[in-house]
Amino acid sequence: MRYLTAGESHGPCLTAMVEGLPSHMPVAVEDINIQLARRQEGYGRGERMKIEKDEVKILSGVRFSRTTGGPLTLQILNKDFESWKDVMSVQGPAVTRRRIHCPRPGHADLAGGIKYLHRDLRDVLERSSARETAIRVASCTLGRMLLKHFGVHVFSYVLAIGSVKVPEESRNLSYEDLEREAAASPVSCPHAESSLAMIEEIERARQQGDSLGGIIELVALNLVPGLGSHVQWDRRLDGRLARALMSIQGIKGVEIGEGFASAYKRGSQVHDPICLDEKKKIYRSSNRAGGLEGGITNGEPLVLRLAMKPIPTLTKPLPSVDLDTFSERPAQAERSDTCAVHAAAVVAEAVVAWELALAYREKFSGDSLEEMIGAYKHYCCLVEDYLAGKWKRPML
Ligand SMILES: Cc1cc2nc3c(=O)[nH]c(=O)nc-3n(C[C@H](O)[C@H](O)[C@H](O)COP(=O)(O)O)c2cc1C
């Protein structure tokens, strides 16, 4: 199962081809649009979010609301394109309007300019822009739809924006409460007091021409144990999730379970004991590993944390160099978000759902959804027996 995206930030549209979904999977376009709308929400987003109201169009691979097994083609129109027709023209004539020649520190402008030898850095900006995450969310939501048939639920919440952090003691809520509280917050924060402080922090940064990043926590519930594998480096699910998350624009750190904090503790304080309950079934008394051991899901909730750096485009720009005159000049400013942590959380949910769906697809392969579900149910019975000590295979 794979997908590729294409399209420029101010081009006519974003497109993706998604291949390898099983046949007969129900697809509701509206469910994709709900995720696209969530990506556009959140306090601190820029003017563009008011122009675009993203809606996906499915051009192939779905008939009468079900996958056929063939490749899906997805399209999201860029409503802003009307005002960019000359700048983004495929055939020309070339125009100098909106040329970018003073690269923004922290963005792909200079590194991409050097690599592809572009003098107009718009050729880099248009594709490096996080506008691409709209079509990524649309594609990966198909993975989320597949996971629904296996009872998997992926959600996230924001634990910090800039220097405002949810206090440790206020994080000890049930996952249900964390999700509900975050849904009621304009910055997806599960703690009302911190949520208000985050909004004030974003407003202050905006007024000062500055930007903010933050910390996202992401959870996946009801995962079957045994996804991913220890037997080969590229089959480890921890590595695959980290790669997918680090590929999101602006994400600079990924933690699994206690992550960095565990490095400061002793093994006895970190590893999760293996116990027997009153029915003599194996269970874990804690989940500091975040649901992954040896690159394999162990049946506990998957818990990931991500660090997003502050947005690179500043309305009070940092020093840069004008590539036309080769003199020092402030970086050019494009219309931009002040803070996009909430939006990045939606993107992160989508890419994690995709990676998990991929792992389900690999473990329970089959061309139709029915085949996958059959293999899944059989495996669940085996796992139940294993955890209860009833697995009959002779011991060697
Ligand atoms: C949802 C989302 C929205 C973003 N919005 C902006 C933005 O408006 N302006 C900006 O300069 N960067 C924005 N970024 C971050 C940049 O796209 C990112 O920093 C840039 O592509 C360079 O990649 P890197 O930070 O991973 O090195 C956003 C990122 C995400 C995930």
Side-chain angles (χ1 to χ4, degrees), residues 37-46 49 185-188 199 202 337 339-343 346:
R38 285 184 69 219
R39 193 200 72 93
Q40 294 191 284
E41 289 163 4
Y43 199 90
R45 306 305 306 282
M49 294 308 123
S185 156
V187 283
S188 200
I199 290 169
I202 294 170
D337 301 325
C339 175
V341 177
H342 168 272
V346 178

Side-chain angles (χ1 to χ4, degrees), residues 160-373:
I161 285 185
S163 60
V164 182
K165 296 179 198 153
V166 176
E168 285 296 333
E169 61 277 12
S170 308
R171 297 178 187 186
N172 289 334
L173 298 174
S174 69
Y175 286 129
E176 218 178 13
D177 288 345
L178 283 166
E179 188 182 14
R180 197 193 47 247
E181 294 295 323
S185 156
V187 283
S188 200
C189 171
H191 183 238
E193 217 174 289
S194 308
S195 183
L196 282 176
M198 286 172 182
I199 290 169
E200 284 168 14
E201 179 76 346
I202 294 170
E203 205 41 47
R204 260 194 306 276
R206 194 184 61 77
Q207 280 164 14
Q208 291 163 4
D210 220 325
S211 65
L212 292 166
I215 302 285
I216 299 157
E217 193 160 276
L218 195 146
V219 180
L221 299 177
N222 299 328
L223 289 172
V224 76
L227 301 170
S229 178
H230 61 286
V231 303
Q232 196 58 262
W233 68 271
D234 61 351
R235 292 180 59 194
R236 288 185 63 116
L237 193 61
D238 43 11
R240 288 161 63 156
L241 288 166
R243 179 179 114 138
L245 288 166
M246 291 290 284
S247 79
I248 301 171
Q249 296 84 335
I251 299 298
K252 293 298 138 200
V254 176
E255 285 186 314
I256 297 174
E258 288 212 348
F260 278 82
S262 69
Y264 303 106
K265 296 180 184 169
R266 292 190 170 191
S268 54
Q269 297 171 290
V270 170
H271 304 304
D272 306 305
I274 301 170
C275 316
L276 284 179
D277 67 13
E278 65 284 0
K279 288 186 179 155
K280 292 237 174 263
K281 193 179 161 196
I282 290 178
Y283 79 98
R284 310 304 288 266
S285 55
S286 57
N287 182 28
R288 291 182 283 254
L292 280 166
E293 287 171 308
I296 310 171
T297 53
N298 62 7
E300 294 295 313
L302 176 72
V303 184
L304 307 165
R305 245 182 322 279
L306 325 175
M308 184 180 194
K309 74 181 188 186
I311 297 284
T313 308
L314 307 180
T315 48
K316 198 171 159 201
L318 286 171
S320 181
V321 167
D322 187 331
L323 299 182
D324 285 351
T325 60
F326 245 73
S327 56
E328 288 183 348
R329 246 186 76 178
Q332 273 169 286
E334 279 273 306
R335 193 175 45 196
S336 177
D337 301 325
T338 304
C339 175
V341 177
H342 168 272
V346 178
V347 182
E349 285 176 22
V351 305
V352 164
W354 177 268
E355 286 305 317
L356 294 174
L358 198 57
Y360 270 82
R361 201 80 188 94
E362 285 168 3
K363 182 137 184 67
F364 310 112
S365 60
D367 297 310
S368 64
L369 185 58
E370 292 86 338
E371 241 186 302
M372 269 189 89
I373 289 173

Side-chain angles (χ1 to χ4, degrees), residues 37-110:
R38 285 184 69 219
R39 193 200 72 93
Q40 294 191 284
E41 289 163 4
Y43 199 90
R45 306 305 306 282
E47 286 300 304
R48 176 134 194 210
M49 294 308 123
K50 294 176 192 151
I51 301 169
E52 307 278 4
K53 186 180 173 300
D54 290 333
E55 278 172 5
V56 74
K57 198 167 175 184
I58 300 182
L59 300 168
S60 73
V62 177
R63 200 164 159 251
F64 309 136
S65 301
R66 284 185 185 258
T67 51
T68 62
L72 277 76
T73 314
L74 308 184
Q75 185 190 59
I76 298 172
L77 295 180
N78 285 328
K79 302 204 172 77
D80 210 13
F81 176 60
E82 280 306 308
S83 358
W84 289 80
K85 272 185 169 158
D86 57 338
V87 178
M88 298 306 296
S89 166
V90 172
Q91 296 281 272
V95 294
T96 53
R97 190 167 81 87
R98 294 200 177 262
R99 269 188 82 242
I100 303 282
H101 44 98
C102 299
R104 294 162 299 170
H107 221 298
D109 304 353
L110 182 60

Side-chain angles (χ1 to χ4, degrees), residues 121-168:
L121 301 178
R122 179 155 302 284
D123 285 328
V124 179
L125 178 156
E126 285 293 330
R127 186 62 191 152
S128 66
S129 158
R131 174 84 190 123
E132 184 263 350
T133 59
I135 196 71
R136 221 170 342 159
V137 166
S139 309
C140 293
T141 298
L142 293 161
R144 196 194 272 262
M145 285 176 181
L146 180 61
L147 290 178
K148 260 205 330 210
H149 297 276
F150 303 92
V152 178
H153 179 49
V154 180
F155 62 96
S156 67
Y157 38 89
V158 171
L159 289 181
I161 285 185
S163 60
V164 182
K165 296 179 198 153
V166 176
E168 285 296 333

